[in-house]
Amino acid sequence: MMIQKLRQQIRNGEFASPTSGAAGDLVQANVVILPKVYAFDFLLFAMRNQKSVPIIEVLENGRTESRYAPGSDIRTDVPKYRIYKDGELVETVLEIKDYWQDDFVTFLIGCSFTFEQAILKAGIPIKHMDEKKNVAMYNTSVQNKRAGIFQGEMVVSMRPFKSKYVEKVSEITGQFPNMHGTPVHIGTPEAIGISDLNTPDYGDAIAVAEDEVPVFWGCGVTPQNAALKAKPSMMISHEPGHMFITDINNKAYLEMTN
Amino acid sequence: MMIQKLRQQIRNGEFASPTSGAAGDLVQANVVILPKVYAFDFLLFAMRNQKSVPIIEVLENGRTESRYAPGSDIRTDVPKYRIYKDGELVETVLEIKDYWQDDFVTFLIGCSFTFEQAILKAGIPIKHMDEKKNVAMYNTSVQNKRAGIFQGEMVVSMRPFKSKYVEKVSEITGQFPNMHGTPVHIGTPEAIGISDLNTPDYGDAIAVAEDEVPVFWGCGVTPQNAALKAKPSMMISHEPGHMFITDINNKAYLEMTN
């Protein structure tokens, strides 16, 4: 599907689903929107936890259009938003024009959905896509590095692969350093504080078969969680799995930033 | 000289000179100190202009000790400071305890002095060091990417080398990505808006001989200049060439950050 058509459907509220697989190899982004008073602490938190919080773009206060998606509007072009006040989820909405404040700063954060197409292209199936589910995401016991009011634990996404594919998958995702890059852990959920793979904290449960290995990547829910624990007066994020989609692929992104 | 002894001398005001060559291969840093209200814009400016403003550490408000120099105090351990109010230089001082505010955020920015030792080790002489001068620094016509109140043009440091050394020097400095890395320009000062190499805007003039090529690197005066143009109510920086020196070398720095 052409991204412009998809973006229009998202803007009109006609597409309000997880975006894994929805836009080919285009760069997808997690979204965190905060009043400027929190922006320094958050940007520093991102710098200190780059594997979990790889910043792909900052729209400073006054800006609503991504340079990687000309004509886009961050207030309407995410499939589903979560509105938080003082760290509490107060509403889930399809657009946020009524909530917008002039001092809002938007952080677009790399997302592992971006590298899924490259895995598929290598002939390696991705289970949650085949099952038309959202990716499974888990809280872990791995501490983030604190910055100001932001701290907390790392959140990861998990995809099961047959063991013969794990090395190749790891190598492919390493080519996407700003989309969480290589896995943060392979194989043993307990080692990172996950007690039961069948009960993900976000997204959908995906069964891991006998001959499969669970592979874990950094996840954009990490900054969302850190922000929630900090209890900012106001925060808006995407609904987990429901990303902002840019106009460009990873190759073009790397060229534009280097 | 042991870094602890040198730091003590700096702290006591006994060493108030340029630090090029003063501390072997230890990481040296440019210093920009700003009230927190400007910190987000400045950190974003750094992210958008990494070649000129490679952040090696941020000491958020409340912190005065670098993690790369345990026991250090940013209020006393820079050889010479410049105090600016509303963008005007009001004083040059040896320590800043009387000026310190609880909301100050300190940015330590990579410095090309860090890679000089590696160039010397390769058997390549560095002229300003042989002549016991400060490095030559120039304003250019190369525009920085704007972030909030911060903008302006790139400032560069210049070192002349015999042409047979230029490729090697470029390769060596590429191993120091957070200390400005590879040159931003080689050979033609006019191409980056420098009309006369004999009149540097900062530091000392270094003659470029017939068989030498001027090589230009990003420079920590860039963020200082950008900050000045933004006219923050208060800003403190190092005197150009008078750096903060850490306890670790580039190799240890890269290991600690990766």
Side-chain angles (χ1 to χ4, degrees):
Chain A
M1 187 189 297
M2 290 287 290
I3 176 59
Q4 278 73 14
K5 191 174 168 204
L6 175 58
R7 188 170 298 132
Q8 196 59 52
Q9 290 184 341
I10 290 171
R11 190 172 294 183
N12 297 342
E14 297 156 23
F15 183 104
S17 322
T19 52
S20 167
D25 68 349
L26 297 181
V27 168
Q28 302 203 20
N30 299 279
V31 179
V32 170
I33 301 171
L34 287 165
K36 185 168 180 178
V37 66
Y38 305 109
F40 168 67
D41 282 5
F42 190 78
L43 188 56
L44 189 59
F45 180 77
M47 278 186 61
R48 290 188 177 157
N49 298 280
Q50 283 194 40
K51 192 92 180 173
S52 291
V53 198
I55 296 285
I56 57 177
E57 190 179 11
V58 178
L59 311 185
E60 57 263 61
N61 42 312
R63 284 183 55 206
T64 53
E65 181 189 26
S66 165
R67 65 184 289 240
Y68 304 115
S72 67
D73 187 328
I74 200 63
R75 299 168 298 183
T76 54
D77 296 352
V78 171
K80 214 182 270 182
Y81 301 82
R82 287 184 165 189
I83 313 287
Y84 295 94
K85 288 185 177 166
D86 302 315
E88 298 290 326
L89 175 64
V90 294
E91 207 173 348
T92 300
V93 296
L94 298 180
E95 53 103 338
I96 56 169
K97 285 201 162 169
D98 290 347
Y99 291 93
W100 194 256
Q101 296 173 196
D102 289 341
D103 70 336
F104 276 177
V105 176
T106 301
F107 299 89
L108 298 181
I109 298 158
C111 167
S112 57
F113 290 179
T114 305
F115 58 56
E116 289 180 337
Q117 206 66 23
I119 296 172
L120 294 177
K121 266 193 190 157
I124 301 171
I126 299 178
K127 224 168 167 184
H128 76 266
M129 296 177 80
D130 288 342
E131 297 178 6
K132 298 194 190 313
K133 288 180 177 170
N134 196 353
V135 72
M137 293 166 272
Y138 304 86
N139 295 325
T140 73
S141 57
V142 181
Q143 290 295 314
N144 301 314
K145 287 183 193 159
R146 181 176 186 154
I149 61 171
F150 298 104
Q151 50 184 324
E153 293 86 35
M154 186 185 283
V155 178
V156 294
S157 67
M158 187 280 291
R159 293 166 185 78
F161 292 98
K162 292 196 192 299
S163 47
K164 64 176 175 180
Y165 290 138
V166 169
E167 195 180 329
K168 182 70 182 168
V169 164
S170 181
E171 182 196 313
I172 290 171
T173 62
Q175 297 161 15
F176 295 75
N178 291 292
M179 315 301 160
H180 299 302
T182 53
V184 292
H185 185 76
I186 295 170
T188 319
E190 298 76 22
I192 52 173
I194 301 171
S195 54
D196 181 8
L197 282 184
N198 297 316
T199 56
D201 297 290
Y202 321 88
D204 298 323
I206 308 290
V208 182
E210 278 295 316
D211 62 343
E212 289 174 336
V213 177
V215 184
F216 301 90
W217 280 271
C219 174
V221 179
T222 300
Q224 204 175 107
N225 265 15
L228 288 184
K229 285 184 185 171
K231 302 195 189 309
S233 57
M234 182 76 182
M235 168 181 147
I236 300 175
S237 73
H238 64 292
E239 173 88 5
H242 299 62
M243 304 296 161
F244 175 75
I245 305 170
T246 71
D247 288 3
I248 61 171
N249 65 17
N250 183 59
K251 187 161 171 282
Y253 172 77
L254 290 176
E255 277 163 12
M256 282 178 81
T257 51
N258 281 306
Chain B
M1 186 188 299
M2 291 285 292
I3 176 60
Q4 278 73 16
K5 192 175 166 203
L6 175 59
R7 188 171 297 132
Q8 197 57 53
Q9 292 184 339
I10 290 171
R11 191 173 293 182
N12 297 342
E14 297 157 22
F15 183 104
S17 322
T19 52
S20 166
D25 69 348
L26 298 181
V27 169
Q28 302 204 21
N30 300 280
V31 180
V32 170
I33 301 171
L34 288 164
K36 186 168 179 177
V37 65
Y38 305 111
F40 168 67
D41 282 4
F42 190 78
L43 188 57
L44 189 58
F45 180 77
M47 280 186 60
R48 289 188 177 157
N49 298 279
Q50 283 194 40
K51 191 92 181 174
S52 291
V53 198
I55 295 285
I56 58 177
E57 190 180 10
V58 178
L59 312 185
E60 57 262 62
N61 41 313
R63 285 183 55 205
T64 53
E65 182 189 24
S66 165
R67 66 183 288 239
Y68 304 115
S72 67
D73 187 328
I74 200 62
R75 298 168 299 182
T76 55
D77 296 351
V78 172
K80 215 181 269 182
Y81 301 83
R82 288 183 164 189
I83 313 287
Y84 295 93
K85 287 186 178 167
D86 301 316
E88 299 290 327
L89 176 64
V90 294
E91 209 174 347
T92 301
V93 295
L94 298 180
E95 53 103 338
I96 55 169
K97 284 200 162 170
D98 291 346
Y99 291 93
W100 194 255
Q101 296 174 194
D102 289 341
D103 68 336
F104 276 177
V105 176
T106 301
F107 299 89
L108 298 181
I109 298 158
C111 168
S112 57
F113 291 179
T114 306
F115 57 56
E116 289 179 339
Q117 207 65 23
I119 295 172
L120 293 177
K121 264 191 190 158
I124 302 171
I126 299 177
K127 224 166 166 182
H128 77 267
M129 297 178 80
D130 288 341
E131 299 178 7
K132 297 194 189 313
K133 288 180 177 170
N134 195 352
V135 72
M137 293 166 271
Y138 304 87
N139 295 324
T140 73
S141 57
V142 181
Q143 290 294 313
N144 300 314
K145 287 183 194 158
R146 181 174 186 155
I149 62 169
F150 299 104
Q151 50 184 326
E153 292 86 35
M154 185 185 285
V155 178
V156 292
S157 67
M158 187 282 289
R159 292 166 186 78
F161 291 99
K162 293 196 192 299
S163 46
K164 65 177 175 182
Y165 290 137
V166 170
E167 195 180 329
K168 184 69 182 168
V169 164
S170 180
E171 183 195 313
I172 290 171
T173 62
Q175 296 161 16
F176 295 74
N178 291 292
M179 316 301 160
H180 298 303
T182 54
V184 291
H185 184 77
I186 295 171
T188 318
E190 299 75 22
I192 53 173
I194 301 172
S195 54
D196 182 8
L197 282 184
N198 297 316
T199 56
D201 297 291
Y202 322 88
D204 299 323
I206 308 289
V208 182
E210 278 295 317
D211 62 342
E212 289 174 337
V213 177
V215 184
F216 301 91
W217 280 271
C219 175
V221 180
T222 301
Q224 203 176 108
N225 264 16
L228 288 184
K229 285 185 185 170
K231 300 194 190 308
S233 58
M234 182 76 181
M235 169 180 148
I236 299 176
S237 74
H238 64 292
E239 173 88 5
H242 299 62
M243 304 296 161
F244 176 73
I245 305 170
T246 70
D247 288 3
I248 62 169
N249 65 18
N250 183 61
K251 187 160 169 284
Y253 172 78
L254 290 175
E255 276 163 12
M256 284 179 80
T257 51
N258 282 304

PDB file of all heavy atoms in Angstrom, chain A residues 6 15 18-24 28 113 116-117 120 128-129 245:
ATOM      1  N   LEU A   6      -2.157   5.060   3.093  1.00  0.00           N
ATOM      2  CA  LEU A   6      -2.247   4.517   4.456  1.00  0.00           C
ATOM      3  C   LEU A   6      -2.313   5.648   5.473  1.00  0.00           C
ATOM      4  O   LEU A   6      -3.111   5.618   6.412  1.00  0.00           O
ATOM      5  CB  LEU A   6      -1.034   3.612   4.737  1.00  0.00           C
ATOM      6  CG  LEU A   6      -0.920   3.062   6.159  1.00  0.00           C
ATOM      7  CD1 LEU A   6      -2.156   2.261   6.557  1.00  0.00           C
ATOM      8  CD2 LEU A   6       0.333   2.187   6.306  1.00  0.00           C
ATOM      9  N   PHE A  15      -7.834   3.371   9.829  1.00  0.00           N
ATOM     10  CA  PHE A  15      -6.829   2.354  10.147  1.00  0.00           C
ATOM     11  C   PHE A  15      -6.354   2.614  11.573  1.00  0.00           C
ATOM     12  O   PHE A  15      -5.696   3.616  11.828  1.00  0.00           O
ATOM     13  CB  PHE A  15      -5.649   2.430   9.167  1.00  0.00           C
ATOM     14  CG  PHE A  15      -4.605   1.357   9.382  1.00  0.00           C
ATOM     15  CD1 PHE A  15      -4.524   0.252   8.535  1.00  0.00           C
ATOM     16  CD2 PHE A  15      -3.704   1.445  10.451  1.00  0.00           C
ATOM     17  CE1 PHE A  15      -3.564  -0.738   8.748  1.00  0.00           C
ATOM     18  CE2 PHE A  15      -2.752   0.455  10.662  1.00  0.00           C
ATOM     19  CZ  PHE A  15      -2.683  -0.634   9.809  1.00  0.00           C
ATOM     20  N   PRO A  18      -2.424  -2.404  14.845  1.00  0.00           N
ATOM     21  CA  PRO A  18      -0.960  -2.487  14.902  1.00  0.00           C
ATOM     22  C   PRO A  18      -0.378  -2.339  13.500  1.00  0.00           C
ATOM     23  O   PRO A  18      -0.987  -2.789  12.525  1.00  0.00           O
ATOM     24  CB  PRO A  18      -0.703  -3.883  15.474  1.00  0.00           C
ATOM     25  CG  PRO A  18      -1.928  -4.199  16.252  1.00  0.00           C
ATOM     26  CD  PRO A  18      -3.054  -3.585  15.476  1.00  0.00           C
ATOM     27  N   THR A  19       0.798  -1.717  13.405  1.00  0.00           N
ATOM     28  CA  THR A  19       1.376  -1.393  12.097  1.00  0.00           C
ATOM     29  C   THR A  19       2.469  -2.369  11.658  1.00  0.00           C
ATOM     30  O   THR A  19       3.068  -2.170  10.607  1.00  0.00           O
ATOM     31  CB  THR A  19       1.949   0.031  12.126  1.00  0.00           C
ATOM     32  OG1 THR A  19       2.823   0.132  13.257  1.00  0.00           O
ATOM     33  CG2 THR A  19       0.849   1.062  12.230  1.00  0.00           C
ATOM     34  N   SER A  20       2.735  -3.397  12.464  1.00  0.00           N
ATOM     35  CA  SER A  20       3.701  -4.416  12.037  1.00  0.00           C
ATOM     36  C   SER A  20       3.247  -5.003  10.713  1.00  0.00           C
ATOM     37  O   SER A  20       2.123  -5.487  10.589  1.00  0.00           O
ATOM     38  CB  SER A  20       3.797  -5.509  13.112  1.00  0.00           C
ATOM     39  OG  SER A  20       4.486  -6.637  12.613  1.00  0.00           O
ATOM     40  N   GLY A  21       4.114  -4.878   9.681  1.00  0.00           N
ATOM     41  CA  GLY A  21       3.779  -5.447   8.378  1.00  0.00           C
ATOM     42  C   GLY A  21       2.887  -4.565   7.518  1.00  0.00           C
ATOM     43  O   GLY A  21       2.584  -4.905   6.384  1.00  0.00           O
ATOM     44  N   ALA A  22       2.489  -3.409   8.037  1.00  0.00           N
ATOM     45  CA  ALA A  22       1.520  -2.582   7.310  1.00  0.00           C
ATOM     46  C   ALA A  22       2.149  -1.686   6.259  1.00  0.00           C
ATOM     47  O   ALA A  22       1.451  -1.132   5.419  1.00  0.00           O
ATOM     48  CB  ALA A  22       0.724  -1.725   8.300  1.00  0.00           C
ATOM     49  N   ALA A  23       3.488  -1.513   6.328  1.00  0.00           N
ATOM     50  CA  ALA A  23       4.086  -0.502   5.454  1.00  0.00           C
ATOM     51  C   ALA A  23       5.430  -0.950   4.886  1.00  0.00           C
ATOM     52  O   ALA A  23       6.351  -0.150   4.758  1.00  0.00           O
ATOM     53  CB  ALA A  23       4.231   0.811   6.216  1.00  0.00           C
ATOM     54  N   GLY A  24       5.526  -2.217   4.524  1.00  0.00           N
ATOM     55  CA  GLY A  24       6.744  -2.707   3.889  1.00  0.00           C
ATOM     56  C   GLY A  24       7.971  -2.391   4.713  1.00  0.00           C
ATOM     57  O   GLY A  24       7.997  -2.647   5.922  1.00  0.00           O
ATOM     58  N   GLN A  28       9.399   2.839  10.889  1.00  0.00           N
ATOM     59  CA  GLN A  28       8.289   3.073  11.808  1.00  0.00           C
ATOM     60  C   GLN A  28       8.849   3.602  13.120  1.00  0.00           C
ATOM     61  O   GLN A  28       9.967   3.278  13.496  1.00  0.00           O
ATOM     62  CB  GLN A  28       7.522   1.775  12.062  1.00  0.00           C
ATOM     63  CG  GLN A  28       6.969   1.148  10.781  1.00  0.00           C
ATOM     64  CD  GLN A  28       5.784   0.225  11.030  1.00  0.00           C
ATOM     65  OE1 GLN A  28       5.125   0.300  12.076  1.00  0.00           O
ATOM     66  NE2 GLN A  28       5.484  -0.633  10.074  1.00  0.00           N
ATOM     67  N   PHE A 113       9.802  -2.912  14.289  1.00  0.00           N
ATOM     68  CA  PHE A 113       8.977  -3.268  13.125  1.00  0.00           C
ATOM     69  C   PHE A 113       9.720  -2.938  11.824  1.00  0.00           C
ATOM     70  O   PHE A 113       9.482  -3.558  10.795  1.00  0.00           O
ATOM     71  CB  PHE A 113       7.650  -2.500  13.123  1.00  0.00           C
ATOM     72  CG  PHE A 113       6.688  -2.931  14.197  1.00  0.00           C
ATOM     73  CD1 PHE A 113       5.458  -2.316  14.328  1.00  0.00           C
ATOM     74  CD2 PHE A 113       7.008  -3.947  15.076  1.00  0.00           C
ATOM     75  CE1 PHE A 113       4.561  -2.708  15.308  1.00  0.00           C
ATOM     76  CE2 PHE A 113       6.114  -4.350  16.068  1.00  0.00           C
ATOM     77  CZ  PHE A 113       4.889  -3.716  16.184  1.00  0.00           C
ATOM     78  N   GLU A 116      11.605  -5.840  10.287  1.00  0.00           N
ATOM     79  CA  GLU A 116      10.901  -7.108  10.034  1.00  0.00           C
ATOM     80  C   GLU A 116      10.896  -7.470   8.560  1.00  0.00           C
ATOM     81  O   GLU A 116      11.063  -8.634   8.192  1.00  0.00           O
ATOM     82  CB  GLU A 116       9.479  -7.031  10.588  1.00  0.00           C
ATOM     83  CG  GLU A 116       9.459  -7.040  12.120  1.00  0.00           C
ATOM     84  CD  GLU A 116       8.060  -6.956  12.696  1.00  0.00           C
ATOM     85  OE1 GLU A 116       7.157  -6.454  11.986  1.00  0.00           O
ATOM     86  OE2 GLU A 116       7.873  -7.393  13.846  1.00  0.00           O
ATOM     87  N   GLN A 117      10.706  -6.429   7.698  1.00  0.00           N
ATOM     88  CA  GLN A 117      10.658  -6.695   6.260  1.00  0.00           C
ATOM     89  C   GLN A 117      11.972  -7.305   5.771  1.00  0.00           C
ATOM     90  O   GLN A 117      11.974  -8.192   4.926  1.00  0.00           O
ATOM     91  CB  GLN A 117      10.352  -5.386   5.525  1.00  0.00           C
ATOM     92  CG  GLN A 117       9.675  -5.587   4.178  1.00  0.00           C
ATOM     93  CD  GLN A 117       8.274  -6.175   4.314  1.00  0.00           C
ATOM     94  OE1 GLN A 117       7.625  -6.055   5.363  1.00  0.00           O
ATOM     95  NE2 GLN A 117       7.805  -6.845   3.266  1.00  0.00           N
ATOM     96  N   LEU A 120      12.000 -10.950   6.661  1.00  0.00           N
ATOM     97  CA  LEU A 120      11.143 -11.687   5.721  1.00  0.00           C
ATOM     98  C   LEU A 120      11.832 -11.873   4.377  1.00  0.00           C
ATOM     99  O   LEU A 120      11.781 -12.948   3.782  1.00  0.00           O
ATOM    100  CB  LEU A 120       9.811 -10.943   5.518  1.00  0.00           C
ATOM    101  CG  LEU A 120       8.877 -10.856   6.732  1.00  0.00           C
ATOM    102  CD1 LEU A 120       7.640 -10.025   6.382  1.00  0.00           C
ATOM    103  CD2 LEU A 120       8.462 -12.246   7.204  1.00  0.00           C
ATOM    104  N   HIS A 128       4.500 -13.775  14.664  1.00  0.00           N
ATOM    105  CA  HIS A 128       3.331 -12.955  15.017  1.00  0.00           C
ATOM    106  C   HIS A 128       2.699 -12.338  13.771  1.00  0.00           C
ATOM    107  O   HIS A 128       1.508 -12.052  13.739  1.00  0.00           O
ATOM    108  CB  HIS A 128       3.673 -11.872  16.055  1.00  0.00           C
ATOM    109  CG  HIS A 128       4.415 -10.701  15.509  1.00  0.00           C
ATOM    110  ND1 HIS A 128       5.781 -10.599  15.528  1.00  0.00           N
ATOM    111  CD2 HIS A 128       3.986  -9.552  14.920  1.00  0.00           C
ATOM    112  CE1 HIS A 128       6.157  -9.446  14.988  1.00  0.00           C
ATOM    113  NE2 HIS A 128       5.091  -8.794  14.608  1.00  0.00           N
ATOM    114  N   MET A 129       3.509 -12.150  12.709  1.00  0.00           N
ATOM    115  CA  MET A 129       2.950 -11.624  11.466  1.00  0.00           C
ATOM    116  C   MET A 129       2.110 -12.693  10.778  1.00  0.00           C
ATOM    117  O   MET A 129       1.010 -12.404  10.303  1.00  0.00           O
ATOM    118  CB  MET A 129       4.075 -11.129  10.567  1.00  0.00           C
ATOM    119  CG  MET A 129       4.816  -9.952  11.200  1.00  0.00           C
ATOM    120  SD  MET A 129       6.222  -9.362  10.215  1.00  0.00           S
ATOM    121  CE  MET A 129       5.356  -8.353   8.999  1.00  0.00           C
ATOM    122  N   ILE A 245       4.400   6.053  10.938  1.00  0.00           N
ATOM    123  CA  ILE A 245       5.135   5.514   9.789  1.00  0.00           C
ATOM    124  C   ILE A 245       5.670   6.657   8.929  1.00  0.00           C
ATOM    125  O   ILE A 245       4.926   7.571   8.569  1.00  0.00           O
ATOM    126  CB  ILE A 245       4.223   4.600   8.935  1.00  0.00           C
ATOM    127  CG1 ILE A 245       3.625   3.493   9.830  1.00  0.00           C
ATOM    128  CG2 ILE A 245       5.005   3.991   7.776  1.00  0.00           C
ATOM    129  CD1 ILE A 245       2.541   2.681   9.152  1.00  0.00           C
TER     130      ILE A 245
END
